[in-house]
Amino acid sequence: DAGVTQSPTHLIKTRGQQVTLRCSPKSGHDTVSWYQQALGQGPQFIFQYYEEEERQRGNFPDRFSGHQFPNYSSELNVNALLLGDSALYLCASSLGGGRTSPLHFGNGTRLTVT
Amino acid sequence: GQQVMQIPQYQHVQEGEDFTTYCNSSTTLSNIQWYKQRPGGHPVFLIQLVKSGEVKKQKRLTFQFGEAKKNSSLHITATQTTDVGTYFCAGPGNNAGNMLTFGGGTRLMVKP
C-alpha cells in the first residue's frame, strides 16, 4: 500500500523562477492538501484540492497555484520565486475532505531559493 | 483568524523523565489532532480527540482534550530516545473541509 509520494525531494531555484512540485496521494485517498513548513515552524496550510477543484485556500498569494488530476494526484506551482519561499513543502492526503480525516503526509520537497 | 499555540517551544529531558506539551486554541475546536515529526522527517498522525474532556492513551503517551475544547495536552511517561522529535497539535479551521491549523510545535530532546 503506497503512501503519499512527492517529487522531487530537493530543488534549488533562483529568485524569479517558477517551480512545480508533484504529489501522489495514498491509495484510496481523494483529497490533497499542500502545506509550507519553514525551518523550526509548524506547517502552514496553502490550499486543498478535492474533486479536481480548489476547495480551501490559506493565506498565500496568487503566485501559489495548484491542480488536481482525475487520478487524484496534484501539483503545486509557485511563480516569481522569492527568497522567503525557501521551505519544506508537504503534501498531505486524506479521504473525503471531511473535518475529521487524519492527514497522511509525504516526505516533502525541500525548496531552496537563492 | 484561528490561532493554535503550543508551549514550551523546546524541552530537554533526561531519558526516563516525563514530558508534557500544552496546546491552546483561540477558538473552540470540533476536534484536535496530534502529529509527531522526527528530525528530517514528515509529520505523522498520532491521534485525534473529539469529545470534551476526552483522555486517550497510547502506551506511554496520554492525550487530553479540555472540557471547553480549546486546549489539549500530550504527556509522555518515562521518555525514551525514540521519543525525540517535534510534537504538533492541529485543529480544524472554521470553514468546511479538512484544513488544519498547526501549532508551532514542541521540540523534545532526550539525553540518554
Side-chain angles (χ1 to χ4, degrees):
Chain A
D1 179 17
V4 179
T5 58
Q6 290 187 243
S7 63
T9 53
H10 295 83
L11 206 50
I12 300 175
K13 289 286 189 178
T14 305
R15 270 181 305 176
Q17 287 188 317
Q18 177 263 344
V19 68
T20 298
L21 311 181
R22 295 177 175 81
C23 171
S24 291
K26 178 180 167 67
S27 178
H29 284 184
D30 56 7
T31 303
V32 172
S33 302
W34 287 92
Y35 286 81
Q36 180 195 67
Q37 186 176 30
L39 202 60
Q41 297 184 22
Q44 299 292 313
F45 177 76
I46 303 175
F47 42 54
Q48 181 184 80
Y49 278 85
Y50 176 67
E51 294 187 338
E52 301 180 51
E53 290 189 358
E54 184 182 290
R55 182 187 175 113
Q56 261 191 297
R57 188 178 185 91
N59 189 27
F60 279 80
D62 292 344
R63 298 186 297 109
F64 290 77
S65 63
H67 190 78
Q68 186 179 34
F69 299 94
N71 66 353
Y72 307 120
S73 67
S74 177
E75 288 181 349
L76 163 64
N77 301 292
V78 187
N79 294 324
L81 285 167
L82 303 174
L83 295 180
D85 295 331
S86 295
L88 179 66
Y89 288 84
L90 294 162
C91 170
S93 72
S94 57
L95 183 60
R99 297 174 72 92
T100 59
S101 301
L103 298 179
H104 294 253
F105 284 89
N107 290 330
T109 294
R110 174 74 60 186
L111 173 65
T112 302
V113 182
T114 62
Chain B
Q2 179 191 48
Q3 289 188 323
V4 177
M5 309 294 291
Q6 278 185 260
I7 55 170
Q9 262 191 303
Y10 306 92
Q11 184 84 59
H12 287 85
V13 299
Q14 196 72 40
E15 190 172 21
E17 291 181 338
D18 292 356
F19 159 78
T20 304
T21 172
Y22 300 92
C23 175
N24 289 285
S25 170
S26 59
T27 60
T28 302
L29 300 170
S30 60
N31 68 82
I32 193 156
Q33 299 180 19
W34 285 90
Y35 291 79
K36 176 184 178 182
Q37 185 173 23
R38 294 183 186 275
H42 58 277
V44 174
F45 173 76
L46 293 177
I47 206 161
Q48 178 178 265
L49 305 171
V50 179
K51 299 177 184 175
S52 168
E54 188 170 14
V55 177
K56 285 189 176 181
K57 291 190 176 184
Q58 287 181 351
K59 296 182 181 178
R60 295 178 294 103
L61 277 61
T62 302
F63 303 83
Q64 288 189 310
F65 200 8
E67 293 290 342
K69 302 183 78 173
K70 293 183 71 174
N71 58 76
S72 181
S73 65
L74 158 59
H75 179 82
I76 303 178
T77 304
T79 55
Q80 300 175 359
T81 54
T82 53
D83 296 325
V84 163
T86 302
Y87 293 85
F88 294 99
C89 63
N94 297 323
N95 300 321
N98 203 23
M99 167 189 168
L100 286 180
T101 299
F102 280 78
T106 296
R107 183 178 172 191
L108 172 63
M109 288 154 279
V110 180
K111 298 177 225 175

